[in-house]
Amino acid sequence: SRGETLIWTTTSLHSMQYIGGDFVFGFRELGQKCGAASRRAMVVFDGKAVWMGRNGFWMYDGYVQPIPSAVADYVFGSINRTQMSKVYAEVRSAFGEVWFFYPSGRSEECNRYVVFNYRDGFMYIGRLARTAGVDQGIFDSPISAGPAGVLYQHEVGTSYLDPDGVELVPAAESGPVEIADGDSVLVGTNVIPDENTLGGVAITLYSSLTPTDEERTYGPFTPRSITNVRINGRQARVAIRQIEDGWRFGTLRMEVQPGGRR
């Protein structure tokens, strides 16, 4: 890193700095209970380090600090700890992201990922089998390897085939968002996309009165300047799915009115 070499253990982070003379170095402990999940679970870039620990995510930019994550329970509740040594991280500098690939369930190879967007400060999750990778630089695009030894060029084109040769359709879902802190049942009448929502994409909305209730489904809808919907509940989430390639998706606004307490 900047002026120091970082050394991780399974429980802590240390700094090694050159003091002078014939190979004289000083060592100091930077943090405890923040060790790395594996020997490849960290990346260092732009003077900072980001890594996956055994129970959380961490950053060092002069000080060790945990990275708040709404998906940590999902990741560390499903990770295969007997294969945790295979966790690896890579930077996707074009998008300001750090990707962590990890084995879940009974998988002996990395089959899921969690992404930390360090520019905007959020995380998202997905399923993809990768065992090693490198950011763009020498190559024009990121290159990653799959468990079967196949090399993949990422961020190129708009289609993807799974290992069985079936084409996958790009899609994304949000987590549940409480409406008015969950105190009132609100009725949504219209969805208004922003100027970044363009092209062939379908929007589906889901709502429920409590976190344990079965969700109601609304849609799919094709977004227009004002898209008429009728959704009610204490919490809601949104899903988008590709209809035609060449689309992008921005921030939704929803017109709501109170539906009363229940």
Side-chain angles (χ1 to χ4, degrees), residues 87-260:
V87 170
Y88 89 92
E90 64 175 280
V91 177
R92 298 285 174 88
S93 56
F95 304 100
E97 297 173 339
V98 177
W99 287 59
F100 299 98
F101 289 87
Y102 65 95
S104 67
R106 298 182 179 179
S107 176
E108 296 185 353
E109 300 292 348
C110 295
N111 62 342
R112 290 185 183 180
Y113 63 81
V114 53
V115 178
F116 171 51
N117 186 305
Y118 55 85
R119 291 178 185 169
D120 298 321
F122 67 89
M123 289 189 175
Y124 62 91
I125 55 177
R127 298 174 180 266
L128 190 63
R130 295 291 185 268
T131 57
V134 62
D135 192 17
Q136 65 187 71
I138 297 176
F139 302 101
D140 293 334
S141 303
I143 303 293
S144 295
V150 178
L151 291 179
Y152 297 89
Q153 186 178 22
H154 284 249
E155 314 302 344
V156 175
T158 57
S159 63
Y160 173 75
L161 302 180
D162 71 6
D164 296 323
V166 178
E167 184 171 3
L168 301 179
V169 178
E173 295 186 11
S174 74
V177 177
E178 288 187 342
I179 301 173
D181 295 328
D183 293 333
S184 301
V185 175
L186 298 185
V187 178
T189 55
N190 291 306
V191 167
I192 305 173
D194 70 3
E195 69 277 7
N196 288 322
T197 303
L198 300 172
V201 61
I203 301 173
T204 303
L205 301 172
Y206 303 89
S207 75
S208 62
L209 291 174
T210 69
T212 56
D213 281 349
E214 184 177 352
E215 290 183 317
R216 298 178 181 177
T217 303
Y218 308 84
F221 305 99
T222 300
R224 297 181 293 274
S225 58
I226 297 180
T227 306
N228 297 121
V229 300
R230 188 166 183 84
I231 176 174
N232 64 82
R234 285 193 177 95
Q235 64 181 32
R237 64 186 184 91
V238 61
I240 59 174
R241 187 177 180 85
Q242 173 180 291
I243 298 176
E244 299 174 351
D245 60 12
W247 57 274
R248 63 183 186 178
F249 193 78
T251 303
L252 286 181
R253 290 180 295 163
M254 180 179 292
E255 293 182 352
V256 298
Q257 59 185 1

